[in-house]
């Protein structure tokens, strides 16, 4: 029985394709706001999100609460909530947005 050896020249294109697919997928996930934060990332993200409001304490409280549940904070200081569906769709009992 002859053993069939796998050469480096056969593995190299597969590795390159896998690497490119991984890069493209991670870029797409980040572009559409689907990337998940670690809980330790919530404080700096919420500090940035709440930086332009005059109501910093309640903004930070709700932003941190939303971030810990959704592991996502929209970019910028206002709007862009469509990038974080969980953050965007969480409502108060009255039907208003819960997350700043």
């Amino acid at each position: 029985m002859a053993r069939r050896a796998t050469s480096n020249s056969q593995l190299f294109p597969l590795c390159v394709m896998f690497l490119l697919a991984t890069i493209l997928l991670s870029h797409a996930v980040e572009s559409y706001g689907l990337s998940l934060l670690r809980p330790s990332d919530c404080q700096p993200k919420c500090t940035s999100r709440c930086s332009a409001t005059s109501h910093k304490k309640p903004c930070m409280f709700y932003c941190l609460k939303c971030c810990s549940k959704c592991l996502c904070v929209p970019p910028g200081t206002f709007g862009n909530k469509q990038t974080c569906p969980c953050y965007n769709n969480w409502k108060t009992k009255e039907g208003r947005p819960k997350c700043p």
Side-chain angles (χ1 to χ4, degrees):
M1 276 200 295
R3 282 180 40 182
R4 188 173 165 192
T6 304
S7 70
N8 286 342
S9 64
Q10 290 173 328
L11 289 177
F12 183 73
L14 290 174
C15 290
V16 170
M17 286 177 30
F18 178 75
L19 181 62
L20 287 174
T22 304
I23 291 169
L24 290 173
L25 180 63
S26 68
H27 178 68
V29 165
E30 197 163 306
S31 296
Y32 292 102
L34 302 174
S35 61
L36 296 178
L37 298 174
R38 292 179 310 237
S40 61
D41 297 329
C42 289
Q43 182 74 35
K45 290 284 188 179
C46 286
T47 299
S48 175
R49 179 80 178 166
C50 296
S51 64
T53 185
S54 58
H55 306 288
K56 289 203 188 333
K57 231 177 183 177
C59 182
M60 284 297 291
F61 176 80
Y62 287 107
C63 183
L64 289 170
K65 185 176 190 129
C66 294
C67 182
S68 67
K69 176 183 178 187
C70 301
L71 294 177
C72 184
V73 175
T77 57
F78 183 78
N80 302 314
K81 289 185 181 182
Q82 72 280 3
T83 62
C84 294
C86 169
Y87 194 99
N88 187 37
N89 298 331
W90 198 11
K91 307 289 184 203
T92 63
K93 288 183 232 176
E94 296 81 25
R96 286 183 267 153
K98 188 171 200 107
C99 306

